Amino acid sequence: MAKPAFDTLRALAIASQALGFILIITLETLMGDAARPWQGVTLAAMVTAALWIALVRLYRRNRSRKALARRLADDDDDAA
């Protein structure tokens, strides 16, 4: 099975992590020590986004495996 040329979930994961790190550094630059709670919130949002993307990827992979198994079973039934 061929992989798509552009993986949207991978691009979304990279972009969300990059944006989070940029935001953490910007908060530290602008707010100093007062940025700590907001950096924690940003980190929590980054982890949540990463987990969500991993779950979506797992769901899509399992869905495609089930579809492939169904097609192969249908082909076997047709051949018999």
Side-chain angles (χ1 to χ4, degrees):
M1 191 156 77
K3 287 190 173 190
F6 181 75
D7 188 356
T8 306
L9 287 178
R10 184 176 301 245
L12 184 61
I14 292 169
S16 68
Q17 297 301 305
L19 182 64
F21 284 124
I22 290 169
L23 184 58
I24 286 173
I25 292 168
T26 302
L27 286 169
E28 180 69 29
T29 302
L30 296 177
M31 299 175 70
D33 287 337
R36 297 287 183 221
W38 293 109
Q39 289 173 328
V41 169
T42 303
L43 183 60
M46 290 169 62
V47 170
T48 301
L51 290 174
W52 178 78
I53 290 168
L55 285 174
V56 170
R57 181 178 297 277
L58 183 64
Y59 171 76
R60 287 183 180 178
R61 184 179 306 136
N62 286 341
R63 188 176 62 183
S64 68
R65 283 182 185 163
K66 286 180 183 179
L68 178 62
R70 267 188 247 115
R71 281 195 304 265
L72 291 175
D74 288 344
D75 288 345
D76 288 344
D77 290 343
D78 292 342

Short mmCIF file of all heavy atoms in Angstrom, two decimals, residues 1-59:
data_model
loop_
_atom_site.label_atom_id
_atom_site.label_comp_id
_atom_site.label_asym_id
_atom_site.label_seq_id
_atom_site.Cartn_x
_atom_site.Cartn_y
_atom_site.Cartn_z
N MET A 1 0.84 -1.17 0.00
CA MET A 1 0.00 0.00 0.00
C MET A 1 0.89 1.24 0.00
O MET A 1 1.80 1.36 0.80
CB MET A 1 -0.90 -0.03 1.23
CG MET A 1 -1.99 0.99 1.19
SD MET A 1 -3.42 0.55 2.20
CE MET A 1 -2.84 0.93 3.83
N ALA A 2 0.66 2.15 -0.91
CA ALA A 2 1.50 3.34 -1.06
C ALA A 2 1.16 4.38 -0.01
O ALA A 2 0.01 4.57 0.36
CB ALA A 2 1.30 3.93 -2.45
N LYS A 3 2.19 5.04 0.47
CA LYS A 3 1.99 6.12 1.44
C LYS A 3 1.68 7.41 0.69
O LYS A 3 2.18 7.64 -0.40
CB LYS A 3 3.24 6.32 2.29
CG LYS A 3 3.46 5.23 3.29
CD LYS A 3 4.55 5.62 4.25
CE LYS A 3 4.64 4.61 5.36
NZ LYS A 3 5.52 5.05 6.43
N PRO A 4 0.86 8.28 1.29
CA PRO A 4 0.58 9.55 0.63
C PRO A 4 1.84 10.41 0.57
O PRO A 4 2.73 10.30 1.41
CB PRO A 4 -0.49 10.19 1.51
CG PRO A 4 -0.42 9.48 2.81
CD PRO A 4 0.14 8.12 2.54
N ALA A 5 1.88 11.28 -0.42
CA ALA A 5 3.05 12.12 -0.61
C ALA A 5 3.19 13.14 0.52
O ALA A 5 4.29 13.50 0.90
CB ALA A 5 2.97 12.83 -1.95
N PHE A 6 2.07 13.60 1.05
CA PHE A 6 2.10 14.59 2.11
C PHE A 6 1.28 14.08 3.29
O PHE A 6 0.10 13.78 3.16
CB PHE A 6 1.52 15.92 1.61
CG PHE A 6 1.54 17.01 2.64
CD1 PHE A 6 2.72 17.64 2.96
CD2 PHE A 6 0.38 17.38 3.30
CE1 PHE A 6 2.75 18.64 3.92
CE2 PHE A 6 0.40 18.38 4.26
CZ PHE A 6 1.59 19.02 4.56
N ASP A 7 1.91 13.96 4.45
CA ASP A 7 1.24 13.47 5.64
C ASP A 7 0.75 14.66 6.46
O ASP A 7 1.54 15.34 7.12
CB ASP A 7 2.20 12.61 6.45
CG ASP A 7 1.52 11.89 7.60
OD1 ASP A 7 0.32 12.12 7.83
OD2 ASP A 7 2.21 11.10 8.27
N THR A 8 -0.54 14.91 6.42
CA THR A 8 -1.13 16.06 7.09
C THR A 8 -0.94 15.99 8.60
O THR A 8 -0.63 17.00 9.24
CB THR A 8 -2.63 16.15 6.76
OG1 THR A 8 -2.79 16.16 5.35
CG2 THR A 8 -3.24 17.41 7.33
N LEU A 9 -1.12 14.81 9.18
CA LEU A 9 -0.97 14.68 10.63
C LEU A 9 0.46 14.95 11.08
O LEU A 9 0.69 15.57 12.11
CB LEU A 9 -1.42 13.29 11.09
CG LEU A 9 -2.91 13.04 11.06
CD1 LEU A 9 -3.21 11.61 11.49
CD2 LEU A 9 -3.65 14.01 11.96
N ARG A 10 1.42 14.50 10.30
CA ARG A 10 2.82 14.76 10.65
C ARG A 10 3.12 16.25 10.59
O ARG A 10 3.78 16.81 11.47
CB ARG A 10 3.76 13.99 9.72
CG ARG A 10 5.22 14.14 10.10
CD ARG A 10 6.07 13.28 9.20
NE ARG A 10 5.65 11.90 9.34
CZ ARG A 10 6.42 10.95 9.84
NH1 ARG A 10 7.63 11.21 10.22
NH2 ARG A 10 5.97 9.71 9.94
N ALA A 11 2.63 16.91 9.55
CA ALA A 11 2.82 18.36 9.43
C ALA A 11 2.15 19.10 10.57
O ALA A 11 2.71 20.05 11.13
CB ALA A 11 2.29 18.85 8.09
N LEU A 12 0.97 18.66 10.96
CA LEU A 12 0.25 19.28 12.07
C LEU A 12 1.02 19.08 13.38
O LEU A 12 1.11 20.01 14.20
CB LEU A 12 -1.15 18.70 12.18
CG LEU A 12 -2.08 19.29 13.22
CD1 LEU A 12 -2.32 20.76 12.96
CD2 LEU A 12 -3.39 18.54 13.23
N ALA A 13 1.56 17.91 13.59
CA ALA A 13 2.33 17.64 14.80
C ALA A 13 3.58 18.53 14.87
O ALA A 13 3.87 19.13 15.91
CB ALA A 13 2.73 16.17 14.85
N ILE A 14 4.30 18.61 13.78
CA ILE A 14 5.51 19.44 13.74
C ILE A 14 5.17 20.90 13.97
O ILE A 14 5.82 21.60 14.75
CB ILE A 14 6.26 19.23 12.43
CG1 ILE A 14 6.82 17.81 12.36
CG2 ILE A 14 7.37 20.27 12.26
CD1 ILE A 14 7.35 17.40 11.01
N ALA A 15 4.13 21.38 13.30
CA ALA A 15 3.74 22.79 13.43
C ALA A 15 3.28 23.11 14.85
O ALA A 15 3.65 24.16 15.40
CB ALA A 15 2.63 23.12 12.43
N SER A 16 2.51 22.22 15.47
CA SER A 16 2.01 22.51 16.82
C SER A 16 3.16 22.53 17.83
O SER A 16 3.18 23.38 18.73
CB SER A 16 0.94 21.50 17.23
OG SER A 16 1.49 20.22 17.39
N GLN A 17 4.11 21.62 17.68
CA GLN A 17 5.24 21.60 18.60
C GLN A 17 6.13 22.83 18.40
O GLN A 17 6.58 23.45 19.36
CB GLN A 17 6.06 20.32 18.42
CG GLN A 17 5.29 19.06 18.75
CD GLN A 17 4.78 19.03 20.18
OE1 GLN A 17 5.55 19.18 21.12
NE2 GLN A 17 3.49 18.85 20.33
N ALA A 18 6.37 23.20 17.15
CA ALA A 18 7.19 24.39 16.88
C ALA A 18 6.52 25.65 17.42
O ALA A 18 7.18 26.48 18.06
CB ALA A 18 7.43 24.52 15.38
N LEU A 19 5.23 25.77 17.20
CA LEU A 19 4.50 26.92 17.70
C LEU A 19 4.52 26.97 19.23
O LEU A 19 4.70 28.04 19.82
CB LEU A 19 3.05 26.88 17.19
CG LEU A 19 2.17 28.05 17.58
CD1 LEU A 19 2.70 29.34 16.95
CD2 LEU A 19 0.75 27.79 17.13
N GLY A 20 4.39 25.83 19.86
CA GLY A 20 4.45 25.78 21.33
C GLY A 20 5.79 26.22 21.87
O GLY A 20 5.86 27.01 22.83
N PHE A 21 6.87 25.73 21.28
CA PHE A 21 8.19 26.13 21.75
C PHE A 21 8.45 27.61 21.51
O PHE A 21 9.04 28.29 22.35
CB PHE A 21 9.28 25.28 21.10
CG PHE A 21 9.37 23.89 21.68
CD1 PHE A 21 9.26 22.79 20.87
CD2 PHE A 21 9.56 23.70 23.04
CE1 PHE A 21 9.32 21.51 21.39
CE2 PHE A 21 9.63 22.43 23.58
CZ PHE A 21 9.52 21.33 22.76
N ILE A 22 8.01 28.12 20.38
CA ILE A 22 8.15 29.55 20.12
C ILE A 22 7.38 30.36 21.15
O ILE A 22 7.87 31.37 21.67
CB ILE A 22 7.69 29.88 18.68
CG1 ILE A 22 8.69 29.31 17.68
CG2 ILE A 22 7.52 31.38 18.49
CD1 ILE A 22 8.21 29.34 16.24
N LEU A 23 6.17 29.91 21.48
CA LEU A 23 5.36 30.61 22.47
C LEU A 23 6.01 30.57 23.86
O LEU A 23 6.03 31.57 24.58
CB LEU A 23 3.96 30.01 22.52
CG LEU A 23 2.96 30.69 23.43
CD1 LEU A 23 2.78 32.16 23.06
CD2 LEU A 23 1.62 29.98 23.38
N ILE A 24 6.57 29.44 24.23
CA ILE A 24 7.24 29.32 25.53
C ILE A 24 8.42 30.28 25.61
O ILE A 24 8.60 30.99 26.60
CB ILE A 24 7.68 27.86 25.79
CG1 ILE A 24 6.45 27.01 26.12
CG2 ILE A 24 8.71 27.78 26.91
CD1 ILE A 24 6.73 25.53 26.23
N ILE A 25 9.23 30.34 24.57
CA ILE A 25 10.38 31.24 24.56
C ILE A 25 9.93 32.70 24.55
O ILE A 25 10.50 33.54 25.25
CB ILE A 25 11.29 30.93 23.34
CG1 ILE A 25 11.94 29.55 23.53
CG2 ILE A 25 12.35 32.01 23.16
CD1 ILE A 25 12.62 29.00 22.31
N THR A 26 8.89 33.00 23.79
CA THR A 26 8.39 34.38 23.74
C THR A 26 7.84 34.80 25.10
O THR A 26 8.07 35.94 25.54
CB THR A 26 7.29 34.50 22.66
OG1 THR A 26 7.84 34.10 21.41
CG2 THR A 26 6.77 35.91 22.56
N LEU A 27 7.11 33.92 25.76
CA LEU A 27 6.59 34.24 27.09
C LEU A 27 7.72 34.54 28.06
O LEU A 27 7.63 35.48 28.86
CB LEU A 27 5.72 33.09 27.62
CG LEU A 27 4.34 32.93 26.99
CD1 LEU A 27 3.72 31.61 27.41
CD2 LEU A 27 3.45 34.09 27.38
N GLU A 28 8.76 33.73 28.02
CA GLU A 28 9.91 33.95 28.91
C GLU A 28 10.57 35.30 28.61
O GLU A 28 10.95 36.04 29.52
CB GLU A 28 10.92 32.82 28.75
CG GLU A 28 12.15 32.95 29.63
CD GLU A 28 11.84 32.74 31.10
OE1 GLU A 28 10.90 32.00 31.42
OE2 GLU A 28 12.55 33.33 31.93
N THR A 29 10.68 35.64 27.35
CA THR A 29 11.31 36.90 26.95
C THR A 29 10.48 38.10 27.40
O THR A 29 11.01 39.08 27.91
CB THR A 29 11.48 36.93 25.43
OG1 THR A 29 12.28 35.82 25.03
CG2 THR A 29 12.15 38.22 24.98
N LEU A 30 9.17 38.02 27.22
CA LEU A 30 8.32 39.17 27.52
C LEU A 30 7.95 39.30 28.99
O LEU A 30 7.83 40.41 29.51
CB LEU A 30 7.03 39.08 26.69
CG LEU A 30 7.19 39.17 25.18
CD1 LEU A 30 5.85 38.99 24.50
CD2 LEU A 30 7.84 40.47 24.78
N MET A 31 7.76 38.18 29.68
CA MET A 31 7.21 38.23 31.03
C MET A 31 8.20 37.85 32.13
O MET A 31 7.92 38.06 33.30
CB MET A 31 5.99 37.30 31.12
CG MET A 31 4.86 37.68 30.20
SD MET A 31 3.50 36.50 30.21
CE MET A 31 2.82 36.79 31.84
N GLY A 32 9.30 37.24 31.79
CA GLY A 32 10.27 36.82 32.81
C GLY A 32 9.73 35.69 33.65
O GLY A 32 9.14 34.74 33.14
N ASP A 33 9.88 35.82 34.98
CA ASP A 33 9.44 34.75 35.89
C ASP A 33 7.93 34.63 35.96
O ASP A 33 7.41 33.58 36.34
CB ASP A 33 10.00 34.99 37.29
CG ASP A 33 11.49 34.70 37.38
OD1 ASP A 33 11.98 33.93 36.52
OD2 ASP A 33 12.15 35.23 38.28
N ALA A 34 7.20 35.67 35.61
CA ALA A 34 5.74 35.62 35.65
C ALA A 34 5.18 34.71 34.56
O ALA A 34 4.00 34.38 34.56
CB ALA A 34 5.16 37.02 35.49
N ALA A 35 6.02 34.30 33.63
CA ALA A 35 5.58 33.46 32.52
C ALA A 35 5.44 31.99 32.90
O ALA A 35 4.85 31.22 32.14
CB ALA A 35 6.55 33.59 31.35
N ARG A 36 5.97 31.59 34.04
CA ARG A 36 6.00 30.16 34.40
C ARG A 36 4.64 29.48 34.31
O ARG A 36 4.54 28.40 33.70
CB ARG A 36 6.59 29.97 35.79
CG ARG A 36 8.01 30.41 35.92
CD ARG A 36 8.94 29.45 35.22
NE ARG A 36 10.31 29.90 35.45
CZ ARG A 36 11.24 29.89 34.54
NH1 ARG A 36 10.98 29.45 33.34
NH2 ARG A 36 12.44 30.32 34.81
N PRO A 37 3.57 30.03 34.89
CA PRO A 37 2.28 29.33 34.78
C PRO A 37 1.79 29.22 33.33
O PRO A 37 1.24 28.18 32.93
CB PRO A 37 1.31 30.19 35.60
CG PRO A 37 2.16 31.06 36.45
CD PRO A 37 3.47 31.19 35.77
N TRP A 38 2.01 30.26 32.55
CA TRP A 38 1.57 30.24 31.16
C TRP A 38 2.40 29.28 30.33
O TRP A 38 1.90 28.66 29.38
CB TRP A 38 1.61 31.65 30.56
CG TRP A 38 0.61 32.54 31.20
CD1 TRP A 38 0.85 33.57 32.04
CD2 TRP A 38 -0.81 32.44 31.07
NE1 TRP A 38 -0.33 34.12 32.45
CE2 TRP A 38 -1.36 33.45 31.87
CE3 TRP A 38 -1.66 31.59 30.37
CZ2 TRP A 38 -2.74 33.64 31.97
CZ3 TRP A 38 -3.03 31.77 30.48
CH2 TRP A 38 -3.56 32.79 31.27
N GLN A 39 3.66 29.13 30.68
CA GLN A 39 4.49 28.14 30.00
C GLN A 39 4.01 26.73 30.31
O GLN A 39 4.02 25.86 29.44
CB GLN A 39 5.95 28.31 30.41
CG GLN A 39 6.58 29.56 29.83
CD GLN A 39 7.97 29.81 30.37
OE1 GLN A 39 8.27 29.47 31.52
NE2 GLN A 39 8.81 30.41 29.55
N GLY A 40 3.56 26.52 31.55
CA GLY A 40 3.00 25.22 31.91
C GLY A 40 1.73 24.92 31.14
O GLY A 40 1.52 23.79 30.68
N VAL A 41 0.89 25.92 30.99
CA VAL A 41 -0.34 25.76 30.21
C VAL A 41 0.00 25.45 28.75
O VAL A 41 -0.61 24.57 28.12
CB VAL A 41 -1.22 27.03 30.31
CG1 VAL A 41 -2.37 26.99 29.32
CG2 VAL A 41 -1.74 27.18 31.73
N THR A 42 0.99 26.15 28.22
CA THR A 42 1.41 25.92 26.84
C THR A 42 1.95 24.50 26.67
O THR A 42 1.61 23.81 25.70
CB THR A 42 2.48 26.94 26.42
OG1 THR A 42 1.95 28.26 26.60
CG2 THR A 42 2.90 26.74 24.98
N LEU A 43 2.76 24.06 27.61
CA LEU A 43 3.30 22.70 27.55
C LEU A 43 2.18 21.66 27.64
O LEU A 43 2.19 20.66 26.90
CB LEU A 43 4.32 22.49 28.67
CG LEU A 43 5.02 21.13 28.68
CD1 LEU A 43 5.79 20.91 27.39
CD2 LEU A 43 5.95 21.04 29.87
N ALA A 44 1.21 21.89 28.51
CA ALA A 44 0.07 20.97 28.61
C ALA A 44 -0.71 20.92 27.30
O ALA A 44 -1.14 19.85 26.87
CB ALA A 44 -0.84 21.39 29.76
N ALA A 45 -0.88 22.07 26.66
CA ALA A 45 -1.57 22.11 25.36
C ALA A 45 -0.77 21.36 24.30
O ALA A 45 -1.35 20.66 23.46
CB ALA A 45 -1.81 23.55 24.94
N MET A 46 0.55 21.47 24.34
CA MET A 46 1.39 20.76 23.38
C MET A 46 1.26 19.24 23.57
O MET A 46 1.15 18.50 22.58
CB MET A 46 2.85 21.18 23.55
CG MET A 46 3.15 22.59 23.12
SD MET A 46 4.79 23.16 23.63
CE MET A 46 5.86 22.02 22.76
N VAL A 47 1.27 18.79 24.82
CA VAL A 47 1.15 17.36 25.09
C VAL A 47 -0.24 16.86 24.68
O VAL A 47 -0.37 15.77 24.08
CB VAL A 47 1.42 17.07 26.59
CG1 VAL A 47 1.06 15.64 26.95
CG2 VAL A 47 2.87 17.35 26.91
N THR A 48 -1.26 17.65 24.96
CA THR A 48 -2.62 17.28 24.56
C THR A 48 -2.73 17.16 23.04
O THR A 48 -3.32 16.21 22.52
CB THR A 48 -3.63 18.31 25.08
OG1 THR A 48 -3.51 18.37 26.51
CG2 THR A 48 -5.04 17.95 24.70
N ALA A 49 -2.16 18.11 22.33
CA ALA A 49 -2.19 18.07 20.86
C ALA A 49 -1.45 16.84 20.34
O ALA A 49 -1.92 16.16 19.42
CB ALA A 49 -1.58 19.34 20.28
N ALA A 50 -0.30 16.53 20.94
CA ALA A 50 0.47 15.36 20.50
C ALA A 50 -0.31 14.07 20.73
O ALA A 50 -0.32 13.18 19.87
CB ALA A 50 1.81 15.33 21.23
N LEU A 51 -0.96 13.96 21.88
CA LEU A 51 -1.76 12.76 22.17
C LEU A 51 -2.95 12.65 21.23
O LEU A 51 -3.27 11.55 20.76
CB LEU A 51 -2.22 12.76 23.62
CG LEU A 51 -1.13 12.54 24.67
CD1 LEU A 51 -1.70 12.71 26.07
CD2 LEU A 51 -0.51 11.17 24.50
N TRP A 52 -3.61 13.76 20.96
CA TRP A 52 -4.75 13.76 20.04
C TRP A 52 -4.30 13.31 18.64
O TRP A 52 -4.96 12.48 18.01
CB TRP A 52 -5.38 15.15 19.99
CG TRP A 52 -6.50 15.24 19.03
CD1 TRP A 52 -7.77 14.80 19.19
CD2 TRP A 52 -6.45 15.79 17.71
NE1 TRP A 52 -8.51 15.06 18.06
CE2 TRP A 52 -7.72 15.66 17.14
CE3 TRP A 52 -5.44 16.39 16.96
CZ2 TRP A 52 -8.00 16.10 15.86
CZ3 TRP A 52 -5.72 16.83 15.69
CH2 TRP A 52 -7.00 16.68 15.15
N ILE A 53 -3.19 13.85 18.18
CA ILE A 53 -2.69 13.47 16.85
C ILE A 53 -2.32 11.99 16.82
O ILE A 53 -2.61 11.29 15.84
CB ILE A 53 -1.49 14.37 16.46
CG1 ILE A 53 -1.99 15.79 16.19
CG2 ILE A 53 -0.75 13.82 15.25
CD1 ILE A 53 -0.90 16.83 16.07
N ALA A 54 -1.72 11.49 17.89
CA ALA A 54 -1.37 10.06 17.95
C ALA A 54 -2.62 9.19 17.91
O ALA A 54 -2.64 8.15 17.23
CB ALA A 54 -0.56 9.78 19.21
N LEU A 55 -3.67 9.60 18.62
CA LEU A 55 -4.92 8.83 18.60
C LEU A 55 -5.58 8.85 17.23
O LEU A 55 -6.09 7.83 16.76
CB LEU A 55 -5.88 9.37 19.65
CG LEU A 55 -5.56 9.00 21.09
CD1 LEU A 55 -6.52 9.72 22.04
CD2 LEU A 55 -5.61 7.51 21.29
N VAL A 56 -5.56 9.99 16.56
CA VAL A 56 -6.14 10.07 15.22
C VAL A 56 -5.36 9.18 14.26
O VAL A 56 -5.94 8.47 13.44
CB VAL A 56 -6.17 11.54 14.73
CG1 VAL A 56 -6.53 11.61 13.26
CG2 VAL A 56 -7.15 12.36 15.55
N ARG A 57 -4.03 9.22 14.37
CA ARG A 57 -3.20 8.37 13.51
C ARG A 57 -3.49 6.90 13.75
O ARG A 57 -3.63 6.10 12.81
CB ARG A 57 -1.72 8.67 13.76
CG ARG A 57 -0.78 7.87 12.89
CD ARG A 57 0.66 8.24 13.13
NE ARG A 57 0.94 9.61 12.79
CZ ARG A 57 1.20 10.03 11.55
NH1 ARG A 57 1.23 9.17 10.57
NH2 ARG A 57 1.46 11.29 11.32
N LEU A 58 -3.62 6.50 15.01
CA LEU A 58 -3.93 5.11 15.36
C LEU A 58 -5.29 4.71 14.81
O LEU A 58 -5.46 3.62 14.25
CB LEU A 58 -3.88 4.93 16.87
CG LEU A 58 -4.10 3.52 17.40
CD1 LEU A 58 -2.99 2.59 16.94
CD2 LEU A 58 -4.17 3.56 18.92
N TYR A 59 -6.28 5.59 14.97
CA TYR A 59 -7.62 5.31 14.45
C TYR A 59 -7.60 5.12 12.94
O TYR A 59 -8.18 4.17 12.41
CB TYR A 59 -8.57 6.46 14.84
CG TYR A 59 -9.91 6.37 14.18
CD1 TYR A 59 -10.87 5.47 14.62
CD2 TYR A 59 -10.23 7.18 13.09
CE1 TYR A 59 -12.10 5.38 14.02
CE2 TYR A 59 -11.46 7.10 12.47
CZ TYR A 59 -12.39 6.20 12.94
OH TYR A 59 -13.60 6.12 12.32
#
